[in-house]
Amino acid sequence: MMANITELSDKTFNDETGKGLVITDFNADWCPPCKMMNPILEKLSSSDQLGDKIKFTSMNVDQNPETPNNFGIQGIPTFIIKKDGNVVGRMVGYQPEEKFRMELEKFM
């Protein structure tokens, strides 16, 4: 997994995403758009502008089916944005870096 992104499981999801501003990338190893998002997520999670203000997390939907099912995830990648435990945003599919950054900045 990428250095600045916390890998989640069904067991750790609630504890890791319950406080502050958190984005979770729901993905799978076989998903090309998921792989295309990896460098964007790594760059943004490492940036001074976002990395210190947003916790970046990731969950493999094949290894952890319960949480994606609870959130009605039907397509991947899906990005869920939570603020203090409440879902405040959702994006589905590949997102260009600038669009993705602008969407995240709305919640800061």
Side-chain angles (χ1 to χ4, degrees), residues 92-107:
V92 179
Y94 174 81
Q95 306 289 320
E97 180 181 340
E98 195 55 37
K99 180 180 178 193
F100 197 76
R101 176 190 301 274
M102 288 172 43
E103 189 65 29
L104 292 177
E105 287 174 349
K106 291 179 186 178
F107 301 101

Side-chain angles (χ1 to χ4, degrees), residues 23-25 37 40-41 44-45 50 54 56 78-81 91-107:
I23 182 164
T24 302
D25 168 22
M37 286 301 300
I40 294 170
L41 293 167
L44 295 179
S45 68
L50 296 177
I54 300 173
F56 285 78
T78 292
F79 305 93
I80 300 287
I81 303 161
M91 293 180 277
V92 179
Y94 174 81
Q95 306 289 320
E97 180 181 340
E98 195 55 37
K99 180 180 178 193
F100 197 76
R101 176 190 301 274
M102 288 172 43
E103 189 65 29
L104 292 177
E105 287 174 349
K106 291 179 186 178
F107 301 101

Side-chain angles (χ1 to χ4, degrees), residues 18-98:
K19 292 182 181 174
L21 189 56
V22 183
I23 182 164
T24 302
D25 168 22
F26 290 90
N27 61 70
D29 295 336
W30 50 264
C31 166
C34 300
K35 291 180 182 183
M36 291 170 57
M37 286 301 300
N38 286 343
I40 294 170
L41 293 167
E42 182 66 22
K43 182 178 179 182
L44 295 179
S45 68
S46 300
S47 78
D48 291 339
Q49 293 172 316
L50 296 177
D52 294 338
K53 297 173 180 74
I54 300 173
K55 180 178 183 178
F56 285 78
T57 65
S58 177
M59 178 176 279
N60 183 304
V61 298
D62 291 333
Q63 297 170 0
N64 302 283
E66 183 180 316
T67 303
N69 188 49
N70 291 345
F71 283 93
I73 306 286
Q74 296 182 343
I76 53 173
T78 292
F79 305 93
I80 300 287
I81 303 161
K82 291 176 77 179
K83 190 167 193 171
D84 295 326
N86 297 309
V87 175
V88 294
R90 178 185 288 238
M91 293 180 277
V92 179
Y94 174 81
Q95 306 289 320
E97 180 181 340
E98 195 55 37

Side-chain angles (χ1 to χ4, degrees), residues 1-14:
M1 179 71 334
M2 295 172 274
N4 299 308
I5 300 175
T6 303
E7 186 69 33
L8 302 179
S9 69
D10 285 333
K11 291 181 181 179
T12 63
F13 180 80
N14 288 331

